[in-house]
Amino acid sequence: MSEVPPLSEVTPRRSRWTAVLRRWPAVLAVGLLAARAAGGSSAGEVTSLAEVLLLLPLLYLVVAKIQRREASWPMLLAFVVLYLVLRVLDVVAVPAVFTAVALAVMVWGAVAGDLRRSGAFRVQALGMVGFGALSLAALVVEPDLGRYLVAAGWFLHGLWDFVHLRRNTVVSRSYAEWCGVLDVLIAAQLVFLA
């Protein structure tokens, strides 16, 4: 017959797992960054990260427009699939498509009156313009400066995520936590490991 361990021996192990499960978005972000780092880097990495930087505020903009926080993860999946299809087909430039989608959503919001009525949509539209400008600038400057602009964009978007996490607005809390951790780590990797 086996003895049951005292509660004091079981509780710390359980509480560690509970803490990890509670922080699953951050753990997922660290895991994704580790997998990304293991894959090595390439010359086109900064370009790819600049293109994906456009996707980040676009997701916030769309979720703010439809006012469905629970759509954060499905929208991420949809945009990642769109990004991958655009890269594989290589017919239309990814930045052109994401910029066109962002403009369409902003026009849709303006026509619907969201720019006047919804402070959240207005802030996300401004965020899209700011992050979009940073991303597009990084694509046209010389590569070393582009790397720092992309790193700045990812870092600033990480702060953007943490503000939204703290305020519990626009996107789901799990998405904001995951994106914030991933963004800051990618920015650090671009600056310190390049």
Side-chain angles (χ1 to χ4, degrees):
M1 179 156 113
S2 66
E3 284 187 32
V4 175
L7 186 60
S8 62
E9 291 177 20
V10 175
T11 305
R13 185 175 296 140
R14 227 182 249 157
S15 66
R16 273 183 254 144
W17 279 110
T18 303
V20 168
L21 289 175
R22 213 174 339 172
R23 296 276 66 105
W24 72 264
V27 171
L28 177 62
V30 171
L32 284 173
L33 186 76
R36 181 183 171 283
S41 63
S42 67
E45 177 182 42
V46 172
T47 299
S48 295
L49 288 173
E51 292 172 349
V52 174
L53 180 57
L54 277 169
L55 181 153
L56 304 175
L58 179 55
L59 185 141
Y60 271 83
L61 181 68
V62 171
V63 172
K65 173 60 189 129
I66 64 175
Q67 298 179 2
R68 305 283 255 199
R69 296 177 63 187
E70 66 275 9
S72 304
W73 289 101
M75 287 305 307
L76 176 65
L77 180 61
F79 281 133
V80 167
V81 168
L82 175 61
Y83 173 78
L84 293 173
V85 167
L86 290 169
R87 290 298 299 253
V88 168
L89 294 178
D90 198 25
V91 175
V92 181
V94 171
V97 172
F98 284 160
T99 301
V101 172
L103 287 172
V105 173
M106 285 192 264
V107 167
W108 176 27
V111 169
D114 293 331
L115 286 174
R116 282 188 324 272
R117 280 193 317 263
S118 174
F121 183 78
R122 193 171 34 251
V123 167
Q124 300 315 313
L126 290 172
M128 183 71 228
V129 169
F131 288 113
L134 195 56
S135 174
L136 294 174
L139 290 169
V140 297
V141 298
E142 64 96 11
D144 228 24
L145 177 57
R147 179 169 58 93
Y148 288 109
L149 287 175
V150 171
W154 280 82
F155 180 76
L156 292 170
H157 195 272
L159 296 180
W160 184 267
D161 293 316
F162 291 130
V163 166
H164 285 81
L165 175 65
R166 176 89 170 115
R167 296 183 69 205
N168 195 21
T169 60
V170 182
V171 296
S172 69
R173 291 184 59 77
S174 61
Y175 177 82
E177 179 181 336
W178 170 79
C179 193
V181 171
L182 186 66
D183 292 358
V184 169
L185 292 175
I186 287 176
Q189 190 179 51
L190 276 167
V191 170
F192 298 114
L193 301 178

